Amino acid sequence: MPDVRNPGPEYLAFWRERHVCTLTTLRPNGTPHVVPVGVTYDPQTRLARVITSGKSRKVAHVLAAGPQGARVAVCQMQGRHWATLEGVATVRTEAGQVEDAVRRYAERYERTPAPNPERVVIEIAVDRALGRG
């Protein structure tokens, strides 16, 4: 298992490559809700970010957990390589935070997403890293 404080260069390189990821949140009844997303990861701050519409179900699930945030996981894979980041998610609506997340997304995925006035950021304070390279 990678050390979240020092996950290693191969693990971090995998999180910079262009991969579709999944985000798992929990519905109010405790069942998992898994959706495809783009994710960026900043190992220095240990923050993963997902940009999305503020009206999405994933945002509703995170908000339903209350101000302490919601446990979530993001995962990506290619062939036998996979990497998961787990942590506590909160929803950020501040313009500067959203702009920063969009910039990070554009850098990783090599495309700028269409403008969305309802865009928010699901910010994940990563406390566990898993994977196999």
Side-chain angles (χ1 to χ4, degrees), residues 14-97:
F14 191 49
W15 277 104
R16 286 188 299 272
E17 295 170 2
R18 189 176 193 273
H19 297 288
V20 174
C21 305
T22 60
L23 169 68
T24 302
T25 59
L26 296 178
R27 296 180 181 98
N29 68 3
T31 60
H33 177 253
V34 183
V35 293
V37 294
V39 175
T40 62
Y41 180 51
D42 180 351
Q44 281 74 39
T45 61
R46 287 185 253 163
L47 291 175
R49 295 171 178 89
V50 175
I51 57 174
T52 187
S53 172
K55 294 183 177 181
S56 70
R57 295 304 315 150
K58 53 191 162 290
V59 166
H61 297 156
V62 172
L63 292 174
Q68 74 278 2
R71 291 291 306 176
V72 302
V74 289
C75 182
Q76 65 182 13
M77 63 175 286
Q78 181 172 1
R80 66 179 188 87
H81 301 282
W82 63 273
T84 298
L85 300 171
E86 297 179 7
V88 176
T90 54
V91 177
R92 304 294 301 262
T93 60
E94 304 90 339
Q97 297 295 327

Side-chain angles (χ1 to χ4, degrees), residues 92-110:
R92 304 294 301 262
T93 60
E94 304 90 339
Q97 297 295 327
V98 174
E99 290 168 12
D100 180 56
V102 168
R103 180 189 57 76
R104 291 170 186 273
Y105 177 95
E107 185 178 297
R108 180 176 187 196
Y109 290 96
E110 300 176 345

Side-chain angles (χ1 to χ4, degrees), residues 53-54 98 114-120:
S53 172
V98 174
N116 177 353
E118 296 179 4
R119 181 171 287 132
V120 299

